[in-house]
Amino acid sequence: MSAVAATADLDALRTTAREIRKDIIRMTYAAGGGHPGGSLSVTDLVTALVFHELRLDPAHPDAPDRDRLVLSKGHAAPALYSALARRGFLPVEELLTLRKLGSRLQGHVDRNKLPVIEASTGCLGQGIGMAVGMALDQRLRKGAARVYAILGDGECQAGPTWEALMAGGHYKLDNLTVILDRNQYETDGDTEALMGIEPIAEKFRAFRYETLDIDGHDFPAILGALDTARSTKGRPTAIVARTVKGKGVSFMERTHVYHGKPPTKEEAEKALAELGGGSLTG
Amino acid sequence: MTGKSESLRDAYGVELVARGDADPELVVLDADLSGSTRTQLFGKKYPERFFNVGVMEPTMVTMAAGMALSGRTVFASTFAIFAAGQAYNMVRQSVCYNHANVKIVATHGGLLVGGDGGTHQMLEDLALMRGLPGMTVIAPSDAPTTRAAVRAITEFQGPAYVRLTRENLPVVTDGSFALGKAAELRPGSDLTLVAVGAMVARALEVAEELHKVGVEARVLDFASIKPFDEKALLKAARETGAILTLEEHSVLTGLGALVAAATSEAYPVPVRRIGVPDLFGESGDPWLLLDRYGLSKERALEEAWELLRGRGKVN
């Protein structure tokens, strides 16, 4: 365990992550749509970023030196909305408006409606390019903000993803950290059966990234990797976070079925019970 | 009537440097075509603010959006086929959806690309870009308009697309371009020629031929495709009663379609359209290609006469 992980309140992070997972179930159930599987897999990563790593201030959401988080896998919106709400950027009650007409919580993260979102994403392979642009901007203006981009594994099949990664490596953007939510499943099934992306860590290394391969649900490992990323100079860091699709809800784990399908009422209740209890309306 | 030919691309390169002088935060991106697009001029003066990303047009556009979302004015240049074609969805999502302050200046629009052939002759870009909410679209007719347009797009926050022609074009304006305004380059009340880009000079030639036989055609330069000067169009419809459109773009979806739709809703008059038919281009001498694809002066004159006969102005 690294020094940073030893000093972090790991129990608090785990508790927060559990609350976010419950929110994801409530939100996608209430919306009757959305992407629970990939939101549950990325939850611990988002929690570590929003509650530990990123310099953010709910009182000054547009502070110039804030760290930037770009959710390139924009469909994991419920996880990010919940984390931002529980960090104080929007009311927790608003979470249940996800995907409803007039809501600030669009199906894919949207900065037009919710300015705390750094970049509207949803079409894969674009958020990572915007993150590279932001990191380049920071270097040019000698800014101290760090830029974090979360990629999906299906997204690693898209050509523009690799264009953007190539640019990040070429420009030696050591203020950029790319985190891959490697949950193994995309909409139609196992990534390796559809269009294999492995060996993925070797690909990041070949694209000139300091590359770490970790368990994406192990908080000490996540915090340690983020610590390494912050201290790495002369090149960007890629963290291959091995995760479980649908993590925390037994019947959603290791399947593509809940990639883009919300739980039924019965399933939502069962999921909440597994996550420690609570009502469907929070 | 028309002046000597000048390069729109040179005008862009020179004006871009001037914009860079005026705004120390302005950055420029290119995708391995900086000599052709003339962004090289900016790159030589401000190497630290110039990013030539190689052949990755989609990511040139997303990077541009990321830098714009960080508060900068960002110019991104490549050929029209790549900017509006290869990177279309990045322009839609990363730039327009995010209201990012990205100015795309695309060179090599239309048939006048010449020898590179149909794969590189972008004939659909004005329609693709015009269809994007929040996008400003300009197709300058000459070098002075190009400089004015490049200045104009730095005066507002938000996305813009400027289409430039590879070939030098005759100077037809005094550079008094204004966003959302059509420029009346020649007065007339018998007919209106509504043109854009390289076809503006041709429209003026057609008007001169008509003048020789006593027909006075108004010529409007619609460099500002979006916002579109519907007021000037409808005024022309009322005052001249017939409109001929001329564009070096697909006639299915370009200026002619826009003019026909706008007039039919508000003040229906006969409209005939000169443009590239539902075809891809091919290699050849640029100016011969215009003739080959129905954009000749002769063809435009025939269409003008058809309109005039319909109006009972000639037998």
Side-chain angles (χ1 to χ4, degrees):
Chain A
M1 189 185 295
S2 72
V4 64
T7 58
D9 188 341
L10 297 173
D11 285 339
L13 290 174
R14 289 184 188 114
T15 301
T16 300
R18 193 155 50 241
E19 290 308 311
I20 291 172
R21 286 196 166 91
K22 288 186 199 174
D23 286 341
I24 291 166
I25 295 300
R26 292 184 187 108
M27 293 166 81
T28 53
Y29 167 67
H35 298 80
S39 297
L40 292 166
S41 66
V42 83
T43 295
D44 296 323
L45 301 167
V46 168
T47 302
L49 288 165
V50 173
F51 288 85
H52 178 83
E53 182 68 16
L54 300 184
R55 279 169 303 176
L56 298 173
D57 180 0
H60 301 97
D62 54 359
D65 62 349
R66 71 191 184 280
D67 289 335
R68 269 73 166 172
L69 172 57
V70 176
L71 187 65
S72 201
K73 51 171 287 187
H75 56 281
L80 183 55
Y81 291 148
S82 168
L84 291 172
R86 293 190 175 277
R87 183 80 169 75
F89 287 96
L90 63 145
V92 172
E93 309 81 69
E94 194 176 340
L95 292 176
L96 292 183
T97 68
L98 176 73
R99 288 177 170 250
K100 300 249 163 64
L101 190 62
S103 173
R104 297 195 295 172
L105 310 187
Q106 296 292 294
H108 292 82
V109 292
D110 187 328
R111 69 186 299 274
N112 302 312
K113 303 283 198 298
L114 193 65
V116 67
I117 298 297
E118 297 290 351
S120 306
T121 57
C123 289
L124 301 175
Q126 299 199 29
I128 178 66
M130 288 188 271
V132 168
M134 290 175 188
L136 207 49
D137 164 77
Q138 281 297 316
R139 187 164 72 192
L140 207 50
R141 65 175 76 247
K142 299 183 171 58
R146 295 185 54 76
V147 181
Y148 297 82
I150 299 180
L151 284 175
D153 46 10
E155 189 170 12
C156 289
Q157 295 159 342
T161 298
W162 295 101
E163 291 182 5
L165 288 168
M166 187 182 287
H170 174 81
Y171 292 119
K172 302 182 171 68
L173 296 173
D174 55 18
N175 56 353
L176 174 70
T177 302
V178 176
I179 303 163
L180 171 63
D181 177 19
R182 180 63 173 122
N183 65 29
Q184 205 73 33
Y185 292 92
E186 54 190 311
T187 309
D188 276 356
D190 184 333
T191 58
E192 299 316 280
L194 277 153
M195 184 55 66
I197 65 169
E198 296 289 352
I200 191 70
E202 282 84 340
K203 288 186 175 71
F204 283 121
R205 283 190 193 103
F207 276 64
R208 309 180 197 170
Y209 285 66
E210 176 69 26
T211 303
L212 304 157
D213 201 329
I214 65 165
D215 174 348
H217 300 303
D218 177 351
F219 276 107
I222 298 169
L223 301 189
L226 292 171
D227 199 25
T228 301
R230 209 180 324 102
S231 57
T232 296
K233 299 298 171 207
R235 57 183 157 166
T237 296
I239 301 171
V240 178
R242 307 277 170 182
T243 59
V244 173
K245 189 102 174 181
K247 174 72 174 176
V249 176
S250 60
F251 56 92
M252 289 186 175
E253 289 190 353
R254 297 182 180 81
T255 172
H256 66 282
V257 173
Y258 294 92
H259 171 89
K261 180 174 161 269
T264 62
K265 184 159 189 282
E266 191 181 47
E267 288 170 339
E269 283 167 344
K270 185 161 178 251
L272 286 178
E274 286 187 16
L275 290 165
S279 82
L280 280 178
T281 53
Chain B
M1 177 183 55
T2 60
K4 66 178 172 38
S5 285
E6 289 182 7
S7 163
L8 280 63
R9 292 181 287 151
D10 287 346
Y12 167 49
V14 169
E15 188 59 39
L16 188 58
V17 171
R19 294 306 96 212
D21 294 340
D23 176 2
E25 292 225 325
L26 184 147
V27 294
V28 178
L29 286 78
D30 201 298
D32 194 34
L33 291 168
S34 66
S36 292
T37 64
R38 307 295 195 260
T39 61
Q40 206 173 59
L41 286 172
F42 182 94
K44 278 192 179 131
K45 184 159 185 189
Y46 295 114
E48 74 286 359
R49 288 195 271 146
F50 179 66
F51 301 92
N52 190 337
V53 301
V55 185
M56 51 171 75
E57 296 85 3
T59 291
M60 173 178 73
V61 171
T62 56
M63 282 173 62
M67 297 181 94
L69 292 177
S70 304
R72 295 175 189 278
T73 296
V74 184
F75 276 77
S77 282
T78 178
F79 292 175
I81 190 68
F82 306 127
Q86 190 89 347
Y88 173 75
N89 197 37
M90 285 68 188
V91 176
R92 183 183 192 276
Q93 309 284 121
S94 291
V95 176
C96 290
Y97 197 87
N98 276 309
H99 304 303
N101 194 29
V102 175
K103 318 299 181 185
I104 297 165
V105 180
T107 66
H108 294 60
L111 288 171
L112 289 175
V113 166
D116 278 352
T119 54
H120 284 55
Q121 293 160 359
M122 183 36 137
L123 300 171
E124 311 91 53
D125 54 336
L126 298 179
L128 287 168
M129 296 295 106
R130 181 166 67 82
L132 292 171
M135 182 64 112
T136 290
V137 182
I138 307 171
S141 50
D142 65 3
T145 296
T146 300
R147 290 196 66 158
V150 171
R151 276 194 300 276
I153 59 174
T154 56
E155 285 164 7
F156 63 86
Q157 288 281 319
Y161 178 85
V162 179
R163 181 211 231 204
L164 300 182
T165 304
R166 177 178 181 272
E167 286 293 291
N168 293 354
L169 297 178
V171 172
V172 293
T173 75
D174 59 3
S176 58
F177 167 84
L179 203 56
K181 296 285 177 206
E184 184 177 301
L185 300 184
R186 184 175 177 124
S189 56
D190 296 325
L191 170 74
T192 301
L193 307 179
V194 170
V196 66
M199 294 302 284
V200 172
R202 189 146 288 191
L204 287 166
E205 291 170 19
V206 170
E208 185 60 26
E209 290 295 323
L210 292 170
H211 169 70
K212 287 177 189 164
V213 293
V215 172
E216 298 305 329
R218 183 177 303 185
V219 177
L220 297 178
D221 177 355
F222 267 83
S224 182
I225 290 283
K226 186 180 178 183
F228 185 73
D229 192 351
E230 193 166 300
K231 203 173 152 193
L233 178 71
L234 297 178
K235 183 168 182 278
R238 278 194 302 274
E239 294 176 359
T240 73
I243 296 172
L244 177 64
T245 65
L246 302 94
E247 63 190 309
E248 188 206 359
H249 185 275
S250 169
V251 78
L252 269 63
T253 54
L255 176 68
L258 182 54
V259 166
T263 53
S264 69
E265 274 189 356
Y267 194 88
V269 295
V271 173
R272 295 185 81 92
R273 296 171 296 149
I274 297 279
V276 181
D278 192 16
L279 293 169
F280 292 114
E282 63 186 286
S283 291
D285 173 85
W287 299 98
L288 290 180
L289 275 169
L290 288 194
D291 295 347
R292 172 77 163 242
Y293 282 79
L295 276 61
S296 66
K297 186 170 82 176
E298 293 69 27
R299 164 89 197 291
L301 273 166
E302 283 169 25
E303 295 291 336
W305 284 117
E306 278 298 316
L307 282 166
L308 291 164
R309 276 194 285 272
R311 296 264 294 140
K313 296 211 176 198
V314 292
N315 294 318

